[in-house]
Amino acid sequence: MQRFWHWLAKRRAIVQVLSALGLNSYVTWFTTRGLPCPALNCYACPAAAFACPIGSIQHIAGARHQVPFYVLGMVGLVGALVGRGSCGWLCPFGWFQELVYKLPVPKLRLPNRFNWTRYVVLAVLVVVIPIITRETWFCKLCPAGTLEGGIPWVVISADIRQLVGAFYWLKLAILGGFVAWMSVTRRPFCRWVCPLGALWSPLNPVSAFRLQVDQDTCIQCNRCQEVCPVNIRVHENPNDSACIRCLACVRECPSSCIAVSALSWSLEADRVG
Amino acid sequence: MQRVERRKLLFIVNRALIVLAVAAILAGLYLDEWSAVLQNARALCLSCIGLE
């Protein structure tokens, strides 16, 4: 079974492409947009087939002043099963960040000291301010919305192009700032900003899908941290709340001591394969 | 022994979360949040485009 995870980890980019296409497959949008997708994929995208969970939470909690049981349940179910696995495998905006990071510019490795800021974004822009103002304030500033919704609509619709004003240019500037940051640092939006990642992060240590390190065979080479897109010390805490389950560490570990496992009642039955 | 106990605790928390999440989904469906999400997502989100 571990061979399968190695095989799959090498093909993660294919899964990301298929996910981006599937989440934006358009055809069924008239009914499937009632389903929140397990990724930050803007439902303003002309081709979006599913709802953005963060936009939906803001709408139900903010505009309707109801507890978003349905959306939180969907997000919680995904988190309880795979933690932040969707960030690493399904999120189109996460994939976009990985593509931008491939640009040949000097790179900057930032520590995780301030990555609690994503919880502040979740609390302030997704919950508190939308409830007070009844406006979806995270959406107003979201760079994923600009990329997937704002730019395509302005390109394809002459009517919408006429409505472009200062706020649109501000959103483009926010996206531009993030693109510059993405080109030098791996997945900055996921690490410091994403409120969906903030909802899933606390579920990583208790998710069913998990990583485990065989400390007897680990040679402490730190290769896992070097290849980790969110810069975590996998050999010390394989189920860190920041981990996006991309399995780069599993693929690259020279002593093959990092394995995928399923949370089970007994330790003996823990390792998958 | 302590590791086994911790693993059992994690297992219980995980299964409780799954049950809680499914209960929340059912509660949301009962409160017709599905159609609220659908209507909101079908309307063009002008905020997301930067036109509000």
Side-chain angles (χ1 to χ4, degrees), chain B residues 26-40:
Chain B
L26 295 175
L29 290 174
Y30 178 74
L31 295 170
D32 204 26
E33 287 181 2
W34 154 273
S35 44
V37 169
L38 181 62
Q39 281 172 18
N40 179 54

Side-chain angles (χ1 to χ4, degrees), chain A residues 40-122:
Chain A
L40 196 77
N41 189 65
C42 186
Y43 48 29
C45 172
F50 300 93
C52 170
I54 294 299
S56 303
I57 287 172
Q58 288 172 91
H59 173 70
I60 293 175
R64 298 169 67 102
H65 278 194
Q66 289 177 1
V67 179
F69 289 112
Y70 169 60
V71 185
L72 287 177
M74 294 290 239
V75 171
L77 186 60
V78 172
L81 292 173
V82 295
R84 286 191 73 175
S86 290
C87 305
W89 291 82
L90 302 179
C91 183
F93 199 59
W95 177 50
F96 174 71
Q97 290 176 80
E98 290 179 6
L99 293 179
V100 173
Y101 186 74
K102 291 181 191 291
L103 291 173
V105 294
K107 304 300 177 190
L108 185 64
R109 200 168 184 88
L110 294 175
N112 282 332
R113 196 175 300 161
F114 298 107
N115 70 4
W116 46 264
T117 48
R118 61 183 185 268
Y119 299 109
V120 178
V121 172
L122 172 66

Side-chain angles (χ1 to χ4, degrees), chain A residues 30-31 33-34 43 59 64 67-70 73 77 80 145 150 153 163 167-168 171 206-208 263-265 270, chain B residues 4 7-8 10-12 14 17-18 21 24-25 28 31 33-34 36-38 40-42 44 47-52:
Chain A
F30 206 72
T31 50
R33 276 200 194 173
Y43 48 29
H59 173 70
R64 298 169 67 102
V67 179
F69 289 112
Y70 169 60
L77 186 60
W153 273 114
L163 300 173
F167 195 69
Y168 182 81
K171 281 198 62 140
V206 293
S207 67
L263 186 60
S264 60
W265 182 254
D270 210 34
Chain B
V4 174
R7 182 50 58 103
K8 285 182 177 175
L10 287 178
F11 180 81
I12 292 167
N14 176 261
L17 275 170
I18 291 173
I25 293 168
L31 295 170
E33 287 181 2
W34 154 273
V37 169
L38 181 62
N40 179 54
R42 281 200 318 206
L44 178 57
S47 299
C48 310
I49 303 177
L51 300 178
E52 271 188 338

Side-chain angles (χ1 to χ4, degrees), chain A residues 208-229:
Chain A
F209 181 93
R210 54 206 297 106
L211 300 178
Q212 69 177 31
V213 177
D214 184 351
Q215 296 295 348
D216 295 335
T217 54
C218 177
I219 56 173
Q220 310 281 322
C221 65
N222 226 26
R223 178 72 182 144
C224 48
Q225 187 178 9
E226 282 171 21
V227 298
C228 178

